[in-house]
Amino acid sequence: PSLAPSSAACDRSVHQILRGNYDAALRQLSGAKTSGGAPAEVENLRGLALLLDGDTTKALASFEKALELQPTLQAARFNRALALLRNRDYVKASADLKSVYADEHSPLRADAAYHLGIASDRMGRPAEAETWLDNAIKLDDQLDAALLYVGMLRERRGDLQSAGRAYLDYLAKYPQSASALLRFGISAQKAGRIETARTYLQRAIAAAPKSDEAIEARKFLVMWE
């Protein structure tokens, strides 16, 4: 989610949102307009608090109102796309995200590309998804979620070498990531590197013994016993 550049009147609400105190943020936003908060920014923040609190319908209404008040407020457009993604409305979400991505000065371009990758994949367009994720990584090499996701897409289409590189790059930053350890182990197994696969699957179990990834890793290890 993205916060719009806020006025001083919205700062306390932003603080509450970042701390997860969504009810408190919504109460403060109710008086923000009369305290000098820009109406579009107030609506964007209200929508963000509602979205994070799980009320997607009301959140969408707030983002719509924010964009009616200020059509150029890219933070509200990006947040509306996230709400649409949650509602599985991938076509409308993609339209918003492409609008954000097209703004070469937007600080949200990398995040927009990443979420376009998600939307494309869920619409059954994996090649398009991979392109968007590559774009996201080029724009922000710290966007590690895109690196892990693109590895999964490469593994899915059978490019195990490229997938493995992506997983190892991710593991260089997060060596205890059960997800990356599992995926690298499975990729190694698919490539016929059984001992390497065994090592990484065992590491996935050790990293998070009670996780879904550990359960999956154990299934593979049992097959080799």
Side-chain angles (χ1 to χ4, degrees), residues 64-136:
E64 294 283 358
K65 188 172 181 181
L67 289 166
E68 288 173 9
L69 292 165
Q70 187 179 335
T72 59
L73 187 59
Q74 293 287 49
R77 192 172 303 281
F78 178 78
N79 289 335
R80 183 173 69 177
L82 297 189
L84 290 166
L85 281 175
R86 182 178 289 183
N87 275 357
R88 300 182 181 181
D89 193 341
Y90 304 125
V91 173
K92 288 183 180 178
S94 294
D96 271 346
L97 291 167
K98 286 177 181 178
S99 177
V100 174
Y101 181 81
D103 182 355
E104 294 185 358
H105 302 292
S106 173
L108 297 169
R109 289 191 80 208
D111 287 319
Y114 169 67
H115 285 89
L116 277 163
I118 294 173
S120 298
D121 186 34
R122 292 179 181 172
M123 287 190 289
R125 303 171 185 169
E128 186 177 311
E130 194 171 332
T131 297
W132 282 118
L133 292 168
D134 283 336
N135 288 341

Side-chain angles (χ1 to χ4, degrees), residues 130-151:
E130 194 171 332
T131 297
W132 282 118
L133 292 168
D134 283 336
N135 288 341
I137 294 166
K138 289 175 185 175
L139 288 167
D140 182 0
D141 60 7
Q142 300 302 308
L143 193 52
D144 300 319
L147 184 61
L148 184 59
Y149 201 154
V150 82

Side-chain angles (χ1 to χ4, degrees), residues 155 160 178-179 181-205 212-225:
E155 179 190 342
L160 300 176
S179 295
L181 290 166
L182 173 67
R183 296 315 323 166
F184 186 85
I186 292 175
S187 295
Q189 184 270 333
K190 290 177 180 176
R193 298 164 58 199
I194 302 302
E195 289 308 311
T196 298
R198 191 190 305 275
T199 297
Y200 277 84
L201 293 173
Q202 289 170 340
R203 285 180 60 188
I205 294 168
D212 291 341
E213 288 82 2
I215 292 171
E216 188 71 13
R218 289 189 187 99
K219 290 179 182 177
F220 280 90
L221 291 173
V222 166
M223 289 192 298
W224 302 332
E225 290 180 353

